[in-house]
Amino acid sequence: MFSSVLSLSRRLAACAAGLTLLATTAHAAPAPAPATAGPELVIEDNDFLGPGGSDQLSIIPLLFNPHVRVLGFTVASGDGWENAESAHLRRLLEIIGRTDVPVADGAVYPLVNTRAEMRLHEMQYGTIPWKGAWGGLGSIDRATDTQPAIGPMKEGMPHTAPVAQSAAQFLIEQVHAHPHQVTIVAAGPLTNLALAIRQDPTFAETAKQLIFMGGMLDTSMMSVTGNADFASDFNMIFDPEAAHITLTAPWKAITVVGSVSNDLMLSREYLAKLTDRKTPLTSYIGSYYDPLPMWDEMTTAIAADPTLITSAVDAHLDIDTSRGPHYGHAFVVPDALVPHDSPMQRMHIVRSIDEQRFRDTFAQEARSDLPAHGQ
């Protein structure tokens, strides 16, 4: 890891430079994007654990916004197994009448990480609260090494099928069909994006930008003062190598929605506001309510409307892939201390958003009769 090669004096310099960076840029919000002739083109890549929850509800800020056109959804294992996630997503699209939006199945396993490796990491360095497909909040010993068959689904099995292409192939094809126009929103492990980058080295630079949920900082203190599960940067921990490959690729721009995404909960009071008007979607939300932070909903909302950001910091960020206690953890470096010829990319790290406008807009979209437009 980078910090392991810094001398003590350089570590102190890094801290000073980091504090200066925060003081000078923490209140700099991005300028609104210029008006375009057509809608914003988006692909969401996620581990759509279902039914309900932050993963599934993240589709609302995209599908219900008239200024966004969703080219498709791509699915990877993470919070759950890929086949079940895909089925839950396709069923939700049926419920809200959006089967026109394609779903591409993707990575079932991380590039390098395995259940056995995560189990060893827990034995050496302590429990990882949320393990997703490898045990959730329970014991990793009860999980399986391979993807199981899909069991019964509370909301019913989907009738629609995923597209024939893999997620990586779908991502590559869509980006090249719309060069420099497609925003990739990633709210799960970054395995599909890493595979697309390895298959097509021009993929990242041909996209418009990457907006991803992850890269949480100060997770050690967050786990002590708050919910240790919420402080876990699971999207990075599940597949650290994919995260490193993705975040060091030559994207035109990268926006990080990390620690800030813990700030807003889908509370019971807010749930009542979302569901006080009965539609197929609000009935779904009410039936499968999960009291979690709005991690993925915030990420897709920022993709749909970047003016929600009220403060951000620009810095270089990467993921530790060394096999130690910080495996899968994010770290940041100010411009002055980036190693020579480093692949680390400069990113826009979101620090705060307009919370009231986010809540009001999300509630309005969730209570709409139908998504804003067909595609």
Side-chain angles (χ1 to χ4, degrees):
M1 185 175 179
F2 176 69
S3 61
S4 65
V5 298
L6 284 174
S7 66
L8 177 60
S9 62
R10 291 193 67 194
R11 290 184 188 179
L12 294 173
C15 292
L19 290 172
T20 301
L21 177 66
L22 288 174
T24 57
T25 66
H27 298 289
T36 57
E40 189 77 17
L41 304 183
V42 172
I43 299 172
E44 183 185 354
D45 182 80
N46 207 340
D47 50 347
F48 292 95
L49 182 67
S54 184
D55 299 315
Q56 297 285 342
L57 302 189
S58 67
I59 71 174
I60 293 172
L62 302 179
L63 287 180
F64 288 77
N65 188 315
H67 304 294
V68 174
R69 178 187 171 201
V70 181
L71 298 175
F73 297 105
T74 52
V75 186
S77 288
D79 283 337
W81 287 105
E82 182 273 340
N83 58 350
E85 294 169 345
S86 173
H88 286 297
L89 173 61
R90 285 180 279 121
R91 180 58 186 145
L92 175 55
L93 292 175
E94 291 175 353
I95 289 170
I96 65 172
R98 289 309 304 268
T99 56
D100 58 300
V101 183
V103 174
D105 289 353
V108 177
Y109 306 104
L111 299 184
V112 176
N113 200 19
T114 63
R115 185 181 73 90
E117 289 288 345
M118 184 175 280
R119 184 177 183 275
L120 178 61
H121 189 280
E122 283 196 316
M123 293 172 63
Q124 294 175 320
Y125 305 111
T127 299
I128 297 171
W130 174 255
K131 290 171 278 291
W134 291 331
L137 289 173
S139 170
I140 197 169
D141 292 328
R142 294 200 296 267
T144 60
D145 291 306
T146 57
Q147 176 167 267
I150 302 172
M153 292 172 46
K154 297 177 182 178
E155 70 275 39
M157 296 294 290
H159 303 288
T160 52
V163 297
Q165 296 164 296
S166 70
Q169 292 170 332
F170 181 85
L171 287 159
I172 292 168
E173 179 182 277
Q174 293 299 318
V175 162
H176 283 283
H178 310 278
H180 312 297
Q181 299 178 63
V182 181
T183 294
I184 307 297
V185 185
L190 302 179
T191 318
N192 287 333
L193 301 189
L195 290 171
I197 290 164
R198 282 294 187 254
Q199 292 178 36
D200 176 11
T202 70
F203 167 74
E205 64 190 60
T206 308
K208 178 179 179 179
Q209 62 180 328
L210 169 66
I211 299 174
F212 80 98
M213 192 269 124
M216 292 186 178
L217 304 170
D218 302 324
T219 54
S220 296
M221 184 57 70
M222 289 165 59
S223 68
V224 173
T225 60
N227 187 317
D229 174 30
F230 296 167
S232 175
D233 201 356
F234 177 75
N235 289 344
M236 307 296 102
I237 291 171
F238 191 74
D239 196 343
E241 287 75 19
H244 170 72
I245 290 169
T246 299
L247 300 182
T248 55
W251 302 90
K252 302 295 185 186
I254 302 177
T255 298
V256 184
V257 186
S259 303
V260 65
S261 63
N262 274 318
D263 292 348
L264 293 179
M265 290 285 294
L266 205 170
S267 65
R268 294 192 179 279
E269 180 182 10
Y270 186 55
L271 175 72
K273 181 177 181 179
L274 296 182
T275 58
D276 66 359
R277 183 172 185 268
K278 293 302 179 185
T279 70
L281 177 57
T282 61
S283 295
Y284 175 92
I285 295 172
S287 297
Y288 307 113
Y289 163 72
D290 204 354
L292 296 171
M294 301 181 75
W295 297 299
D296 298 0
E297 299 98 324
M298 184 184 293
T299 305
T300 55
I302 288 171
D305 181 9
T307 68
L308 282 171
I309 301 170
T310 55
S311 69
V313 170
D314 290 339
H316 295 258
L317 182 147
D318 199 359
I319 304 301
D320 188 355
T321 57
S322 62
R323 292 291 177 152
H326 302 296
Y327 180 55
H329 288 221
F331 62 98
V332 289
V333 181
D335 292 347
L337 299 180
V338 177
H340 182 64
D341 293 332
S342 169
M344 292 179 69
Q345 299 296 306
R346 199 164 190 261
M347 305 183 193
H348 202 56
I349 304 170
V350 180
R351 303 273 291 174
S352 65
I353 68 164
D354 186 334
E355 297 181 3
Q356 191 60 53
R357 184 152 65 91
F358 165 74
R359 287 185 182 277
D360 290 345
T361 302
F362 186 84
Q364 179 183 358
E365 291 168 340
R367 298 168 74 252
S368 300
D369 290 318
L370 291 171
H373 61 276
Q375 300 176 21

Short mmCIF file of all heavy atoms in Angstrom, two decimals, residues 46 49 52-58 79 130 137 187 213 216 222 226-232 235 257-268 270 274 288-300 353 355 358-359 362:
data_model
loop_
_atom_site.label_atom_id
_atom_site.label_comp_id
_atom_site.label_asym_id
_atom_site.label_seq_id
_atom_site.Cartn_x
_atom_site.Cartn_y
_atom_site.Cartn_z
N ASN A 46 -25.09 -3.09 -10.99
CA ASN A 46 -25.38 -3.21 -9.56
C ASN A 46 -25.51 -4.67 -9.16
O ASN A 46 -25.66 -5.55 -10.01
CB ASN A 46 -26.67 -2.45 -9.21
CG ASN A 46 -26.70 -1.97 -7.77
OD1 ASN A 46 -25.98 -2.47 -6.92
ND2 ASN A 46 -27.56 -0.99 -7.50
N LEU A 49 -29.73 -6.95 -5.01
CA LEU A 49 -30.33 -7.82 -4.00
C LEU A 49 -31.80 -7.46 -3.84
O LEU A 49 -32.17 -6.29 -3.81
CB LEU A 49 -29.61 -7.65 -2.66
CG LEU A 49 -30.09 -8.51 -1.51
CD1 LEU A 49 -29.79 -9.97 -1.77
CD2 LEU A 49 -29.42 -8.07 -0.20
N GLY A 52 -36.92 -5.42 -2.81
CA GLY A 52 -36.82 -4.19 -2.05
C GLY A 52 -35.37 -3.85 -1.76
O GLY A 52 -34.43 -4.37 -2.35
N GLY A 53 -35.15 -2.96 -0.82
CA GLY A 53 -33.81 -2.57 -0.43
C GLY A 53 -33.20 -1.53 -1.36
O GLY A 53 -33.73 -1.20 -2.42
N SER A 54 -32.04 -1.02 -0.96
CA SER A 54 -31.38 0.07 -1.67
C SER A 54 -31.02 -0.31 -3.10
O SER A 54 -31.09 0.52 -4.00
CB SER A 54 -30.13 0.50 -0.90
OG SER A 54 -29.51 1.61 -1.51
N ASP A 55 -30.59 -1.56 -3.32
CA ASP A 55 -30.20 -1.99 -4.66
C ASP A 55 -31.34 -1.84 -5.65
O ASP A 55 -31.20 -1.22 -6.71
CB ASP A 55 -29.74 -3.46 -4.64
CG ASP A 55 -28.54 -3.69 -3.75
OD1 ASP A 55 -27.59 -2.89 -3.81
OD2 ASP A 55 -28.56 -4.66 -2.98
N GLN A 56 -32.48 -2.44 -5.34
CA GLN A 56 -33.62 -2.42 -6.25
C GLN A 56 -34.19 -1.01 -6.41
O GLN A 56 -34.55 -0.59 -7.52
CB GLN A 56 -34.72 -3.37 -5.76
CG GLN A 56 -34.31 -4.83 -5.70
CD GLN A 56 -34.25 -5.48 -7.08
OE1 GLN A 56 -34.80 -4.96 -8.04
NE2 GLN A 56 -33.57 -6.60 -7.17
N LEU A 57 -34.30 -0.27 -5.31
CA LEU A 57 -34.92 1.05 -5.37
C LEU A 57 -34.05 2.07 -6.07
O LEU A 57 -34.51 3.17 -6.40
CB LEU A 57 -35.29 1.52 -3.97
CG LEU A 57 -36.24 0.63 -3.17
CD1 LEU A 57 -36.69 1.33 -1.89
CD2 LEU A 57 -37.44 0.19 -3.99
N SER A 58 -32.79 1.72 -6.34
CA SER A 58 -31.91 2.65 -7.05
C SER A 58 -32.35 2.90 -8.48
O SER A 58 -31.90 3.88 -9.11
CB SER A 58 -30.48 2.10 -7.06
OG SER A 58 -30.39 0.92 -7.86
N ASP A 79 -24.05 -8.35 -3.02
CA ASP A 79 -24.97 -8.48 -1.90
C ASP A 79 -25.68 -9.84 -1.92
O ASP A 79 -26.04 -10.38 -0.88
CB ASP A 79 -26.01 -7.36 -1.93
CG ASP A 79 -25.45 -6.04 -1.45
OD1 ASP A 79 -24.45 -6.05 -0.70
OD2 ASP A 79 -26.00 -4.99 -1.82
N TRP A 130 -20.87 -7.47 6.93
CA TRP A 130 -21.73 -7.89 5.83
C TRP A 130 -20.88 -8.62 4.80
O TRP A 130 -19.89 -8.09 4.30
CB TRP A 130 -22.42 -6.67 5.20
CG TRP A 130 -23.20 -7.00 3.95
CD1 TRP A 130 -22.86 -6.72 2.66
CD2 TRP A 130 -24.47 -7.68 3.88
NE1 TRP A 130 -23.83 -7.18 1.79
CE2 TRP A 130 -24.82 -7.77 2.50
CE3 TRP A 130 -25.33 -8.22 4.83
CZ2 TRP A 130 -26.00 -8.38 2.07
CZ3 TRP A 130 -26.50 -8.83 4.40
CH2 TRP A 130 -26.83 -8.90 3.04
N LEU A 137 -25.17 -11.15 6.93
CA LEU A 137 -24.75 -10.75 8.27
C LEU A 137 -24.43 -11.94 9.16
O LEU A 137 -24.04 -11.77 10.33
CB LEU A 137 -25.85 -9.91 8.94
CG LEU A 137 -26.05 -8.50 8.37
CD1 LEU A 137 -27.27 -7.85 9.00
CD2 LEU A 137 -24.82 -7.64 8.60
N ALA A 187 -23.13 0.62 -8.55
CA ALA A 187 -23.53 0.64 -7.14
C ALA A 187 -23.32 -0.72 -6.47
O ALA A 187 -23.90 -1.00 -5.42
CB ALA A 187 -24.99 1.08 -7.01
N MET A 213 -20.79 3.96 -6.21
CA MET A 213 -21.07 3.93 -4.78
C MET A 213 -20.01 3.06 -4.12
O MET A 213 -19.99 1.84 -4.30
CB MET A 213 -22.48 3.37 -4.54
CG MET A 213 -23.02 3.54 -3.12
SD MET A 213 -22.63 2.15 -2.06
CE MET A 213 -21.79 3.04 -0.76
N MET A 216 -15.43 4.35 0.58
CA MET A 216 -15.67 5.00 1.87
C MET A 216 -14.35 5.25 2.59
O MET A 216 -13.45 4.41 2.58
CB MET A 216 -16.58 4.13 2.74
CG MET A 216 -17.99 4.03 2.22
SD MET A 216 -19.05 3.13 3.38
CE MET A 216 -20.63 3.24 2.54
N MET A 222 -15.90 5.22 11.82
CA MET A 222 -17.32 5.06 11.58
C MET A 222 -17.84 3.79 12.22
O MET A 222 -18.96 3.74 12.74
CB MET A 222 -17.60 5.04 10.07
CG MET A 222 -17.42 6.38 9.37
SD MET A 222 -17.35 6.21 7.57
CE MET A 222 -18.93 5.44 7.24
N GLY A 226 -20.65 4.41 14.92
CA GLY A 226 -21.94 4.15 14.29
C GLY A 226 -22.19 2.67 14.11
O GLY A 226 -21.78 1.84 14.93
N ASN A 227 -22.85 2.32 13.02
CA ASN A 227 -23.15 0.93 12.70
C ASN A 227 -21.98 0.34 11.92
O ASN A 227 -21.66 0.79 10.83
CB ASN A 227 -24.44 0.87 11.87
CG ASN A 227 -24.92 -0.56 11.63
OD1 ASN A 227 -24.14 -1.45 11.34
ND2 ASN A 227 -26.22 -0.76 11.76
N ALA A 228 -21.33 -0.68 12.49
CA ALA A 228 -20.16 -1.26 11.85
C ALA A 228 -20.48 -1.85 10.49
O ALA A 228 -19.65 -1.83 9.57
CB ALA A 228 -19.55 -2.34 12.75
N ASP A 229 -21.70 -2.36 10.33
CA ASP A 229 -22.12 -2.90 9.04
C ASP A 229 -22.17 -1.79 7.99
O ASP A 229 -21.69 -1.95 6.87
CB ASP A 229 -23.48 -3.58 9.17
CG ASP A 229 -24.04 -4.04 7.83
OD1 ASP A 229 -23.24 -4.36 6.93
OD2 ASP A 229 -25.26 -4.06 7.69
N PHE A 230 -22.74 -0.65 8.34
CA PHE A 230 -22.87 0.45 7.40
C PHE A 230 -21.51 1.05 7.06
O PHE A 230 -21.34 1.66 6.00
CB PHE A 230 -23.79 1.54 7.96
CG PHE A 230 -25.21 1.09 8.17
CD1 PHE A 230 -26.09 1.85 8.91
CD2 PHE A 230 -25.68 -0.11 7.64
CE1 PHE A 230 -27.42 1.45 9.11
CE2 PHE A 230 -26.99 -0.54 7.83
CZ PHE A 230 -27.86 0.25 8.57
N ALA A 231 -20.53 0.90 7.95
CA ALA A 231 -19.20 1.45 7.71
C ALA A 231 -18.35 0.56 6.82
O ALA A 231 -17.26 0.95 6.41
CB ALA A 231 -18.49 1.68 9.04
N SER A 232 -18.81 -0.63 6.53
CA SER A 232 -18.05 -1.58 5.71
C SER A 232 -18.19 -1.21 4.24
O SER A 232 -19.30 -1.09 3.72
CB SER A 232 -18.57 -3.00 5.94
OG SER A 232 -17.93 -3.91 5.08
N ASN A 235 -18.73 -3.01 -1.39
CA ASN A 235 -18.56 -3.07 -2.84
C ASN A 235 -17.10 -3.18 -3.24
O ASN A 235 -16.78 -3.79 -4.27
CB ASN A 235 -19.19 -1.84 -3.50
CG ASN A 235 -20.70 -1.85 -3.44
OD1 ASN A 235 -21.32 -2.87 -3.18
ND2 ASN A 235 -21.30 -0.69 -3.67
N VAL A 257 -19.31 8.35 -4.60
CA VAL A 257 -20.37 8.51 -3.62
C VAL A 257 -20.11 7.48 -2.53
O VAL A 257 -20.58 6.35 -2.60
CB VAL A 257 -21.77 8.32 -4.26
CG1 VAL A 257 -22.88 8.64 -3.24
CG2 VAL A 257 -21.92 9.19 -5.50
N GLY A 258 -19.31 7.86 -1.55
CA GLY A 258 -18.85 6.92 -0.54
C GLY A 258 -19.49 7.16 0.81
O GLY A 258 -20.67 6.89 1.02
N SER A 259 -18.73 7.71 1.76
CA SER A 259 -19.20 7.88 3.12
C SER A 259 -20.48 8.70 3.21
O SER A 259 -21.33 8.47 4.08
CB SER A 259 -18.10 8.54 3.97
OG SER A 259 -16.91 7.76 3.92
N VAL A 260 -20.65 9.66 2.29
CA VAL A 260 -21.84 10.51 2.30
C VAL A 260 -23.12 9.70 2.15
O VAL A 260 -24.19 10.11 2.63
CB VAL A 260 -21.75 11.59 1.20
CG1 VAL A 260 -21.76 10.94 -0.18
CG2 VAL A 260 -22.86 12.61 1.31
N SER A 261 -23.03 8.54 1.53
CA SER A 261 -24.23 7.74 1.26
C SER A 261 -24.80 7.09 2.51
O SER A 261 -25.90 6.54 2.49
CB SER A 261 -23.94 6.66 0.21
OG SER A 261 -22.96 5.75 0.67
N ASN A 262 -24.06 7.16 3.62
CA ASN A 262 -24.57 6.65 4.90
C ASN A 262 -25.47 7.65 5.62
O ASN A 262 -26.09 7.32 6.63
CB ASN A 262 -23.40 6.30 5.83
CG ASN A 262 -22.88 4.90 5.61
OD1 ASN A 262 -23.65 3.97 5.44
ND2 ASN A 262 -21.56 4.76 5.62
N ASP A 263 -25.55 8.87 5.11
CA ASP A 263 -26.14 9.96 5.87
C ASP A 263 -27.67 9.96 5.88
O ASP A 263 -28.27 10.60 6.75
CB ASP A 263 -25.65 11.31 5.33
CG ASP A 263 -24.16 11.53 5.60
OD1 ASP A 263 -23.59 10.76 6.38
OD2 ASP A 263 -23.58 12.46 5.00
N LEU A 264 -28.30 9.30 4.93
CA LEU A 264 -29.76 9.35 4.83
C LEU A 264 -30.34 7.95 4.93
O LEU A 264 -29.96 7.04 4.19
CB LEU A 264 -30.19 9.98 3.50
CG LEU A 264 -29.86 11.47 3.31
CD1 LEU A 264 -30.31 11.93 1.94
CD2 LEU A 264 -30.52 12.30 4.38
N MET A 265 -31.29 7.78 5.85
CA MET A 265 -31.95 6.49 6.05
C MET A 265 -33.33 6.48 5.40
O MET A 265 -34.01 7.50 5.35
CB MET A 265 -32.10 6.20 7.54
CG MET A 265 -30.82 5.89 8.27
SD MET A 265 -30.20 4.22 7.92
CE MET A 265 -31.49 3.22 8.66
N LEU A 266 -33.73 5.31 4.94
CA LEU A 266 -35.11 5.12 4.53
C LEU A 266 -35.88 4.76 5.80
O LEU A 266 -36.10 3.60 6.11
CB LEU A 266 -35.23 4.03 3.47
CG LEU A 266 -36.45 4.10 2.54
CD1 LEU A 266 -36.30 3.10 1.39
CD2 LEU A 266 -37.76 3.88 3.25
N SER A 267 -36.26 5.80 6.54
CA SER A 267 -36.90 5.63 7.84
C SER A 267 -38.37 5.23 7.66
O SER A 267 -38.95 5.36 6.58
CB SER A 267 -36.83 6.93 8.64
OG SER A 267 -37.57 7.95 7.99
N ARG A 268 -38.99 4.82 8.74
CA ARG A 268 -40.41 4.47 8.69
C ARG A 268 -41.28 5.70 8.40
O ARG A 268 -42.29 5.62 7.71
CB ARG A 268 -40.84 3.81 10.00
CG ARG A 268 -40.18 2.46 10.23
CD ARG A 268 -40.81 1.67 11.35
NE ARG A 268 -40.16 0.39 11.51
CZ ARG A 268 -40.40 -0.69 10.77
NH1 ARG A 268 -41.29 -0.62 9.80
NH2 ARG A 268 -39.76 -1.82 10.98
N TYR A 270 -40.36 8.29 6.58
CA TYR A 270 -40.20 8.59 5.15
C TYR A 270 -40.91 7.53 4.31
O TYR A 270 -41.50 7.83 3.27
CB TYR A 270 -38.72 8.66 4.80
CG TYR A 270 -38.42 9.10 3.39
CD1 TYR A 270 -38.93 10.30 2.89
CD2 TYR A 270 -37.61 8.34 2.55
CE1 TYR A 270 -38.64 10.73 1.60
CE2 TYR A 270 -37.33 8.74 1.27
CZ TYR A 270 -37.84 9.94 0.79
OH TYR A 270 -37.56 10.34 -0.49
N LEU A 274 -43.65 7.85 1.18
CA LEU A 274 -43.50 7.21 -0.13
C LEU A 274 -44.74 6.39 -0.49
O LEU A 274 -45.09 6.27 -1.68
CB LEU A 274 -42.28 6.29 -0.13
CG LEU A 274 -40.90 6.92 0.04
CD1 LEU A 274 -39.83 5.83 -0.04
CD2 LEU A 274 -40.64 7.99 -1.00
N TYR A 288 -41.78 -4.70 0.97
CA TYR A 288 -40.43 -5.23 1.16
C TYR A 288 -39.50 -4.17 1.76
O TYR A 288 -38.31 -4.15 1.47
CB TYR A 288 -39.89 -5.74 -0.18
CG TYR A 288 -40.83 -6.72 -0.84
CD1 TYR A 288 -41.48 -6.40 -2.03
CD2 TYR A 288 -41.11 -7.95 -0.25
CE1 TYR A 288 -42.36 -7.29 -2.63
CE2 TYR A 288 -42.00 -8.84 -0.84
CZ TYR A 288 -42.62 -8.50 -2.02
OH TYR A 288 -43.51 -9.38 -2.60
N TYR A 289 -40.06 -3.32 2.60
CA TYR A 289 -39.30 -2.25 3.24
C TYR A 289 -38.12 -2.80 4.02
O TYR A 289 -38.23 -3.78 4.75
CB TYR A 289 -40.23 -1.47 4.17
CG TYR A 289 -39.52 -0.61 5.19
CD1 TYR A 289 -38.86 0.55 4.80
CD2 TYR A 289 -39.50 -0.96 6.54
CE1 TYR A 289 -38.22 1.35 5.73
CE2 TYR A 289 -38.86 -0.16 7.48
CZ TYR A 289 -38.22 1.00 7.06
OH TYR A 289 -37.59 1.78 7.99
N ASP A 290 -36.98 -2.15 3.86
CA ASP A 290 -35.78 -2.52 4.59
C ASP A 290 -35.17 -1.23 5.14
O ASP A 290 -34.82 -0.34 4.36
CB ASP A 290 -34.79 -3.22 3.66
CG ASP A 290 -33.83 -4.12 4.40
OD1 ASP A 290 -33.86 -4.13 5.64
OD2 ASP A 290 -33.04 -4.82 3.73
N PRO A 291 -35.07 -1.06 6.46
CA PRO A 291 -34.58 0.19 7.04
C PRO A 291 -33.07 0.35 6.89
O PRO A 291 -32.30 0.07 7.81
CB PRO A 291 -35.00 0.09 8.51
CG PRO A 291 -35.00 -1.38 8.78
CD PRO A 291 -35.46 -2.04 7.50
N LEU A 292 -32.64 0.78 5.72
CA LEU A 292 -31.23 0.91 5.40
C LEU A 292 -30.91 2.33 4.94
O LEU A 292 -31.80 3.06 4.51
CB LEU A 292 -30.84 -0.07 4.28
CG LEU A 292 -30.95 -1.56 4.58
CD1 LEU A 292 -30.74 -2.36 3.30
CD2 LEU A 292 -29.93 -1.97 5.64
N PRO A 293 -29.63 2.71 5.00
CA PRO A 293 -29.24 3.96 4.35
C PRO A 293 -29.58 3.90 2.84
O PRO A 293 -29.59 2.83 2.24
CB PRO A 293 -27.73 4.02 4.57
CG PRO A 293 -27.49 3.19 5.79
CD PRO A 293 -28.48 2.08 5.69
N MET A 294 -29.81 5.06 2.27
CA MET A 294 -30.19 5.12 0.85
C MET A 294 -28.93 5.23 -0.01
O MET A 294 -28.74 6.16 -0.80
CB MET A 294 -31.16 6.27 0.62
CG MET A 294 -32.44 6.12 1.45
SD MET A 294 -33.64 7.45 1.20
CE MET A 294 -34.31 7.01 -0.42
N TRP A 295 -28.05 4.23 0.13
CA TRP A 295 -26.75 4.22 -0.55
C TRP A 295 -26.90 4.36 -2.06
O TRP A 295 -26.36 5.28 -2.68
CB TRP A 295 -26.01 2.91 -0.26
CG TRP A 295 -25.64 2.63 1.15
CD1 TRP A 295 -24.81 3.37 1.96
CD2 TRP A 295 -26.05 1.51 1.94
NE1 TRP A 295 -24.68 2.78 3.18
CE2 TRP A 295 -25.42 1.63 3.21
CE3 TRP A 295 -26.85 0.40 1.70
CZ2 TRP A 295 -25.58 0.69 4.23
CZ3 TRP A 295 -27.02 -0.53 2.71
CH2 TRP A 295 -26.40 -0.39 3.95
N ASP A 296 -27.59 3.40 -2.66
CA ASP A 296 -27.64 3.32 -4.12
C ASP A 296 -28.61 4.33 -4.71
O ASP A 296 -28.39 4.85 -5.81
CB ASP A 296 -28.01 1.90 -4.55
CG ASP A 296 -26.98 0.88 -4.10
OD1 ASP A 296 -25.99 1.27 -3.46
OD2 ASP A 296 -27.16 -0.32 -4.38
N GLU A 297 -29.70 4.62 -3.97
CA GLU A 297 -30.64 5.64 -4.45
C GLU A 297 -29.94 7.00 -4.56
O GLU A 297 -30.19 7.75 -5.51
CB GLU A 297 -31.83 5.76 -3.50
CG GLU A 297 -32.66 4.49 -3.35
CD GLU A 297 -32.29 3.69 -2.11
OE1 GLU A 297 -31.09 3.67 -1.76
OE2 GLU A 297 -33.19 3.10 -1.50
N MET A 298 -29.09 7.33 -3.59
CA MET A 298 -28.36 8.59 -3.65
C MET A 298 -27.42 8.62 -4.85
O MET A 298 -27.28 9.65 -5.54
CB MET A 298 -27.57 8.82 -2.36
CG MET A 298 -26.85 10.16 -2.33
SD MET A 298 -25.81 10.40 -0.87
CE MET A 298 -27.04 10.46 0.43
N THR A 299 -26.77 7.50 -5.12
CA THR A 299 -25.82 7.44 -6.22
C THR A 299 -26.50 7.66 -7.57
O THR A 299 -26.03 8.44 -8.40
CB THR A 299 -25.10 6.08 -6.21
OG1 THR A 299 -24.50 5.88 -4.92
CG2 THR A 299 -24.03 6.02 -7.28
N THR A 300 -27.63 6.98 -7.79
CA THR A 300 -28.32 7.15 -9.06
C THR A 300 -28.98 8.53 -9.14
O THR A 300 -29.08 9.10 -10.23
CB THR A 300 -29.37 6.05 -9.28
OG1 THR A 300 -30.28 6.01 -8.16
CG2 THR A 300 -28.70 4.69 -9.44
N ILE A 353 -24.84 16.52 0.04
CA ILE A 353 -25.82 16.79 -1.01
C ILE A 353 -26.96 17.61 -0.42
O ILE A 353 -27.07 17.76 0.80
CB ILE A 353 -26.38 15.49 -1.64
CG1 ILE A 353 -27.24 14.72 -0.62
CG2 ILE A 353 -25.27 14.62 -2.20
CD1 ILE A 353 -28.13 13.66 -1.26
N GLU A 355 -30.03 17.41 0.85
CA GLU A 355 -30.81 16.27 1.35
C GLU A 355 -32.30 16.46 1.14
O GLU A 355 -33.00 15.52 0.76
CB GLU A 355 -30.50 16.05 2.84
CG GLU A 355 -29.05 15.69 3.11
CD GLU A 355 -28.79 15.45 4.59
OE1 GLU A 355 -29.76 15.52 5.39
OE2 GLU A 355 -27.63 15.19 4.95
N PHE A 358 -33.23 15.98 -2.48
CA PHE A 358 -33.14 14.56 -2.81
C PHE A 358 -34.37 13.80 -2.32
O PHE A 358 -34.99 13.04 -3.05
CB PHE A 358 -31.87 13.95 -2.20
CG PHE A 358 -31.86 12.44 -2.17
CD1 PHE A 358 -31.67 11.71 -3.33
CD2 PHE A 358 -32.07 11.75 -0.98
CE1 PHE A 358 -31.67 10.33 -3.31
CE2 PHE A 358 -32.08 10.37 -0.95
CZ PHE A 358 -31.88 9.66 -2.12
N ARG A 359 -34.74 14.02 -1.05
CA ARG A 359 -35.89 13.31 -0.49
C ARG A 359 -37.19 13.68 -1.22
O ARG A 359 -38.01 12.81 -1.54
CB ARG A 359 -36.03 13.63 1.00
CG ARG A 359 -34.98 12.97 1.89
CD ARG A 359 -35.30 13.28 3.34
NE ARG A 359 -34.33 12.73 4.26
CZ ARG A 359 -34.33 11.47 4.71
NH1 ARG A 359 -35.27 10.63 4.30
NH2 ARG A 359 -33.42 11.05 5.56
N PHE A 362 -37.14 12.16 -4.81
CA PHE A 362 -37.28 10.70 -4.79
C PHE A 362 -38.71 10.31 -4.45
O PHE A 362 -39.28 9.39 -5.06
CB PHE A 362 -36.31 10.10 -3.77
CG PHE A 362 -36.28 8.59 -3.78
CD1 PHE A 362 -35.50 7.91 -4.69
CD2 PHE A 362 -37.06 7.86 -2.89
CE1 PHE A 362 -35.49 6.51 -4.71
CE2 PHE A 362 -37.06 6.48 -2.90
CZ PHE A 362 -36.26 5.80 -3.81
#
